[in-house]
Amino acid sequence: MRHGRQFETVTGDFLDAKYLGTAESGTQEWHDLRSQGIGGSDIGTIMGLNPWESAFGLWAKRTGQIPDPPVDNWAVRFGNAFEQPILHLWADANPDWDVLILGTYRHPKFDYMLANPDAIAVNRETGEHIILEVKTARSYWDEVPPAYHSQVMHYMDVFNLQRSYIIGVAGWDWQEHEILRDDFEVEVQRNEAKRFWDHLQAHVQPAWDGSKATYEAVRQLHPDMVDSEVDLGDLGSKLLAAQDDVNSATHELNSLKSQVLDRMGSAKYGVLDGKRIVSKQARGNGVPWLTIKKGR
């Protein structure tokens, strides 16, 4: 599909936000810009909403204690390749809006707050500005992933805007979700960003959490192994008690999964109060297993 509209590239201060520069994602210049504050791709992690990275892991990378290798997988390549076509699809469907491409910007009051949105659209009739953030995913979304919601809320704070759209393709379905500014969320996120930024400046680690991402980050922090001993004290007792709890819970979980599978028979879904809480999954003609919905 050919698109006739051209997008304007903006450099210089914009909507009171301070222009820092424009750099290609993943380059050294891009990392240098990112190091000057907390960006939209960071805030979901800081808020504990990123399933792939924790605040501790982000802190360890930003303080140079573990490597932050460039991500070059299928999902990233696909997302980068389709960002502009998706923006053009949105622009074609919304001819009253001009789409602007921006670089990295700083909040006019809070120096630690940075934003690098995919685009900002301007309504030619009303003058309204909105954030446009492009996302792609293999799986269909029932709702916007929380980290993306947090990301555009962060951008609306930096540019002092009231509305944003997350647009893109998930599970080969078009996605378009309006996110309205919530001043309470904005303030909570801004405070957490400041707390994390202070930790970075003081080289003080964030609080421990129970995420697998933090465990993997700590593994990278201590890759060496020598034949020596460390007295664990109360920490060791807590570890053994937690492992006993896990063993007991795993035994009970496996028992319940067996009973649920038996009750479901050939049905694909199991429901509670009218909502699907479990489903059967299988690879090809293999024997199915049970997947349990997270949360309630």
Side-chain angles (χ1 to χ4, degrees):
M1 178 183 292
R2 236 182 122 179
H3 304 277
R5 299 177 62 184
Q6 297 296 315
F7 298 154
E8 178 185 352
T9 299
V10 177
T11 58
D13 295 351
F14 187 72
L15 296 176
D16 294 330
K18 306 302 180 182
Y19 177 67
L20 296 183
T22 301
E24 183 179 350
S25 178
T27 63
Q28 185 58 50
E29 185 181 1
W30 179 83
H31 282 289
D32 291 343
L33 286 172
R34 186 186 180 206
S35 69
Q36 297 182 39
I38 304 300
S41 60
D42 299 324
I43 193 65
T45 298
I46 293 168
M47 298 295 294
L49 303 174
N50 184 350
W52 313 114
E53 186 171 43
S54 68
F56 180 92
L58 179 62
W59 171 82
K61 290 176 181 177
R62 293 287 296 270
T63 54
Q65 298 181 77
I66 62 175
D68 187 9
V71 180
D72 184 27
N73 55 33
W74 177 92
V76 171
R77 293 196 297 270
F78 185 94
N80 290 338
F82 281 87
E83 181 178 309
Q84 286 290 311
I86 288 170
L87 283 172
H88 276 291
L89 286 172
W90 186 91
D92 290 345
N94 297 272
D96 295 335
W97 295 78
D98 291 324
V99 175
L100 310 178
I101 306 300
L102 296 86
T104 299
Y105 282 77
R106 188 191 300 280
H107 194 290
K109 295 181 179 178
F110 306 106
D111 288 348
Y112 58 91
M113 299 277 289
L114 305 183
N116 182 209
D118 291 328
I120 286 181
V122 185
N123 188 289
R124 287 195 293 275
E125 182 175 342
T126 66
E128 181 188 8
H129 293 65
I130 60 174
I131 299 290
L132 294 179
E133 189 65 19
V134 178
K135 299 297 181 186
T136 56
R138 292 183 179 182
S139 302
Y140 177 78
W141 297 342
D142 291 321
E143 57 186 6
V144 174
Y148 297 161
H149 179 102
S150 178
Q151 182 178 8
V152 296
M153 200 67 66
H154 181 88
Y155 291 156
M156 285 188 284
D157 186 11
V158 172
F159 289 101
N160 193 27
L161 298 180
Q162 302 300 314
R163 196 155 62 105
S164 59
Y165 280 87
I166 293 176
I167 59 175
V169 176
W172 295 111
D173 280 342
W174 178 257
Q175 300 275 336
E176 186 168 328
H177 301 271
E178 181 186 50
I179 309 293
L180 300 178
R181 180 188 178 112
D182 183 300
D183 287 336
F184 176 77
E185 285 187 52
V186 163
E187 184 175 1
V188 168
Q189 290 192 177
R190 188 188 298 157
N191 291 339
E192 288 303 309
K194 179 62 164 61
R195 188 195 312 275
F196 186 84
W197 183 246
D198 289 344
H199 281 306
L200 283 178
Q201 302 310 298
H203 219 275
V204 174
Q205 74 174 56
W208 293 109
D209 59 52
S211 69
K212 184 178 179 181
T214 290
Y215 174 69
E216 296 300 330
V218 176
R219 288 182 64 198
Q220 292 185 64
L221 272 176
H222 305 289
D224 299 328
M225 183 169 55
V226 296
D227 190 8
S228 61
E229 295 180 346
V230 173
D231 189 345
L232 298 178
D234 290 344
L235 189 59
S237 298
K238 292 177 181 178
L239 177 67
L240 292 177
Q243 185 62 62
D244 286 343
D245 290 342
V246 168
N247 293 341
S248 177
T250 299
H251 182 82
E252 177 67 10
L253 178 63
N254 285 334
S255 175
L256 290 169
K257 287 168 68 175
S258 300
Q259 295 174 64
V260 166
L261 272 173
D262 187 57
R263 180 170 296 187
M264 288 172 66
S266 60
K268 183 175 181 179
Y269 301 103
V271 301
L272 177 66
D273 298 329
K275 295 182 179 179
R276 292 174 177 176
I277 64 166
V278 295
S279 64
K280 287 182 181 178
Q281 306 289 328
R283 291 189 180 94
N285 296 321
V287 177
W289 67 87
L290 196 67
T291 298
I292 305 171
K293 181 179 179 180
K294 294 181 179 179
R296 287 186 176 270

